[in-house]
Amino acid sequence: MEQKKSQQSDEDIAALVQAGDVDFFGVLIHRYKEKMIRYARKFLSDNEDISDIIQEIFIKAYTNIQSFDINRKFSSWLYRIAHNELVNALKKRKKNTLPLFDLDTFLPYSIKDDSFSQDIDSQDTQKMINKCLDQLEPKYREPIILYYLEDLSYKEIAEVMRIPISTVGIRIKRAKEKMKFIFKKLGYRL
Amino acid sequence: MNNQQEKNFIAEKVLDKIKSGEVKMKSRAYFVLRAVLLILGILVLTFFLIYFISFIIFSLRASGALFLPKFGFSGMKILFNALPWLLILIAATLIISLEIFAKRFTFVYRRPIIYSLLVIIIIVAAGSFLIDKTGFHPNLFRKAQERRLPAIGIIYRDFGAPRIGNAHHGVIFEVIKSGFKIETPCGEELTIIISSKTHFPLKADIKKGDVVVVLGKRSDGAVQAIDIRKVNKGRFFRR
């Protein structure tokens, strides 16, 4: 039984929960709790707050699971719930949060010409991200976390943040430029 | 509490809440109903927006404002001042609301806002253009004038054909020695006085039934015409 559970995809398990097999929701919690904690830690520092928010994320996921389309990725759907919870938490704490409207979601951008990113990708990106992340605005911080630390694709990040795919690309590009600048200011060499 | 304990604690707490019934799953019907309401809301908003913008176009045409560019720069200036800015602001707010509603759909938010905004504007403009081609608003306007349109009749009477500064729009019902007499879309009669200073390119063609826009100062029921242009007859006039 346990082996069967571990072989099933998130979407299959979500379908079982939708069908009323509540126990399977525990499998989804175990698969994602670590990722959710890691994700929340990039925005909040208080452990108690994080614990409450993670609980709230999974509770929201359970109450709304019938709205999940099993033909889409469960991870993007769950990160979307987490994104909303974190935005609300940041608002409550009056911290720098995501803008309601941003000009970079208005116009299309070409994200093909990204020679700069190749330059940085070849470096120790993880090291740089960890050093500079706190100094980035949330609108740049979030796509960087989702792309480099959580391994989500541009399309999945667009689903989570509900922004155009080209905007994800441009924000990651700008975030890397900003990080490169911060990194140099801190005295590190690329 | 160490990290592993903390993670287990979170999982246990959530599962306890679910199993105790403290947290309940919302039914699929709830989400289907919500989606249906969202689609209905978008449709209602779209139809209302089409009605609203076609009403603005009608109002501009009935007041004669839409013909003012024929008078050149001075006409454009009057038009700018005569534009129903409040109605335009409401229309813009409705378009933004429609965009916000539409952004709940994946195929909308995945693309830059400019695309969905353009699609909304094209749909609304095409719908308004089609309504403008029918006698929909002129019929309602006429009914409102005859007090046969309850509820929204007041909107047509107050905003249907507003007076705009020194521009006067009407159908000629009598040609007199000093000029001619017109009836405005609201049924008001005005005497247009032509002098040597009046600019009137098609003076010789003037006849009863022609529709004109006149620029000039109004005093009582008479207008000292500065400039006159013949325009297409709309569906606003009873004569």
Side-chain angles (χ1 to χ4, degrees):
Chain A
M1 176 73 174
E2 282 306 312
Q3 197 187 357
K4 195 184 161 199
K5 275 183 188 176
S6 65
Q7 284 169 349
Q8 282 177 308
S9 70
D10 296 342
E11 293 72 27
D12 290 339
I13 293 175
L16 289 168
V17 180
Q18 284 177 338
D21 206 334
V22 176
D23 286 337
F24 277 91
F25 193 69
V27 179
L28 292 173
I29 297 180
H30 286 289
R31 279 187 190 177
Y32 282 96
K33 64 186 177 191
E34 210 155 312
K35 286 181 179 179
M36 290 296 126
I37 291 171
R38 193 173 59 207
Y39 181 50
R41 279 216 175 106
K42 300 291 178 199
F43 294 92
L44 301 167
S45 49
D46 191 312
N47 271 347
E48 218 160 282
D49 281 354
I50 292 170
S51 173
D52 288 347
I53 282 168
I54 303 302
Q55 281 184 53
E56 201 52 41
I57 291 168
F58 285 115
I59 286 170
K60 286 252 166 81
Y62 178 76
T63 52
N64 294 298
I65 199 139
Q66 294 291 358
S67 71
F68 171 63
D69 176 359
I70 55 162
N71 297 312
R72 296 169 82 170
K73 277 195 89 170
F74 178 79
S75 59
S76 310
W77 183 77
L78 189 64
Y79 273 109
R80 171 69 193 163
I81 295 173
H83 163 92
N84 286 341
E85 285 303 311
L86 287 168
V87 167
N88 290 339
L90 289 173
K91 263 188 209 159
K92 272 186 199 162
R93 286 155 188 78
K94 293 192 171 110
K95 284 193 178 178
N96 197 3
T97 184
L98 290 166
L100 271 177
F101 170 77
D102 208 302
L103 253 186
D104 62 14
T105 58
F106 197 80
L107 296 168
Y109 296 97
S110 164
I111 48 171
K112 281 174 195 162
D113 183 20
D114 201 5
S115 54
F116 178 79
S117 74
Q118 282 166 3
D119 170 42
I120 287 193
D121 288 341
S122 64
Q123 313 285 328
D124 193 356
T125 315
Q126 290 268 348
K127 188 177 147 196
M128 191 168 81
I129 288 171
N130 288 326
K131 296 266 182 217
C132 313
L133 212 53
D134 290 347
Q135 295 182 50
L136 282 177
E137 296 163 58
K139 76 166 186 173
Y140 294 122
R141 199 189 310 165
E142 193 172 12
I144 283 283
I145 293 166
L146 292 172
Y147 187 68
Y148 285 107
L149 307 181
E150 304 301 331
D151 281 331
L152 264 65
S153 66
Y154 278 19
K155 198 174 147 190
E156 286 165 345
I157 299 170
E159 296 272 320
V160 174
M161 297 182 74
R162 298 241 163 137
I163 56 174
I165 296 170
S166 60
T167 305
V168 174
I170 203 77
R171 283 193 185 173
I172 287 176
K173 187 174 180 282
R174 285 179 189 159
K176 283 195 281 192
E177 283 167 359
K178 282 174 187 281
M179 282 197 299
K180 196 179 177 188
F181 178 75
I182 297 166
F183 204 61
K184 276 183 182 168
K185 226 171 86 176
L186 290 171
Y188 295 99
R189 283 183 65 189
L190 285 171
Chain B
M1 206 187 291
N2 68 32
N3 268 359
Q4 196 51 47
Q5 280 175 316
E6 188 193 333
K7 284 169 202 163
N8 290 337
F9 171 74
I10 291 171
E12 277 167 26
K13 218 166 169 194
V14 174
L15 287 172
D16 282 349
K17 279 184 182 174
I18 292 171
K19 283 177 182 162
S20 67
E22 195 183 324
V23 171
K24 284 196 171 74
M25 193 190 287
K26 285 176 188 161
S27 69
R28 187 168 285 268
Y30 168 83
F31 294 104
V32 171
L33 185 70
R34 222 171 60 160
V36 169
L37 285 176
L38 177 67
I39 293 168
L40 266 175
I42 287 175
L43 284 175
V44 168
L45 198 56
T46 307
F47 286 124
F48 182 70
L49 202 50
I50 289 173
Y51 166 81
F52 197 73
I53 290 179
S54 61
F55 176 77
I56 293 175
I57 297 169
F58 161 77
S59 156
L60 288 172
R61 202 188 294 282
S63 66
L66 221 55
F67 307 111
L68 288 172
K70 285 182 171 223
F71 293 93
F73 182 70
S74 57
M76 294 291 278
K77 230 169 91 181
I78 301 172
L79 172 65
F80 185 79
N81 291 326
L83 283 174
W85 290 110
L86 180 68
L87 299 184
I88 292 169
L89 194 73
I90 294 171
T93 310
L94 290 173
I95 288 176
I96 293 168
S97 309
L98 196 54
E99 170 69 28
I100 292 170
F101 277 131
K103 266 185 89 69
R104 298 179 82 99
F105 294 101
T106 318
F107 62 91
V108 177
Y109 67 70
R110 264 194 198 159
R111 287 170 185 82
I113 294 174
I114 186 89
Y115 294 147
S116 42
L117 214 51
L118 274 175
V119 170
I120 290 172
I121 290 170
I122 289 169
I123 291 172
V124 170
S128 306
F129 177 78
L130 286 176
I131 294 217
D132 187 53
K133 289 282 155 205
T134 68
F136 180 73
H137 287 299
N139 286 340
L140 291 181
F141 178 70
R142 216 168 296 133
K143 278 185 186 167
Q145 294 291 99
E146 293 160 7
R147 310 260 161 193
R148 289 193 292 123
L149 189 67
I152 57 165
I154 189 163
I155 299 170
Y156 281 87
R157 282 192 294 275
D158 289 356
F159 298 103
R163 268 176 61 181
I164 40 167
N166 290 334
H168 314 278
H169 178 216
V171 60
I172 297 172
F173 65 90
E174 190 184 346
V175 179
I176 54 173
K177 229 182 183 180
S178 59
F180 51 82
K181 288 183 176 181
I182 61 168
E183 189 195 70
T184 68
C186 296
E188 207 181 2
E189 290 180 7
L190 292 173
T191 304
I192 308 297
I193 299 159
I194 301 172
S195 68
S196 55
K197 288 176 185 169
T198 307
H199 182 239
F200 190 12
L202 295 163
K203 195 175 179 180
D205 289 346
I206 195 101
K207 59 183 186 297
K208 197 176 151 185
D210 281 349
V211 178
V212 290
V213 176
V214 180
L215 291 191
K217 262 198 178 161
R218 177 180 165 161
S219 159
D220 295 324
V223 175
Q224 290 290 338
I226 298 168
D227 207 339
I228 303 171
R229 292 285 191 282
K230 266 171 82 170
V231 297
N232 291 332
K233 191 170 182 170
R235 295 185 179 92
F236 332 100
F237 303 105
R238 281 172 291 185
R239 289 179 197 257

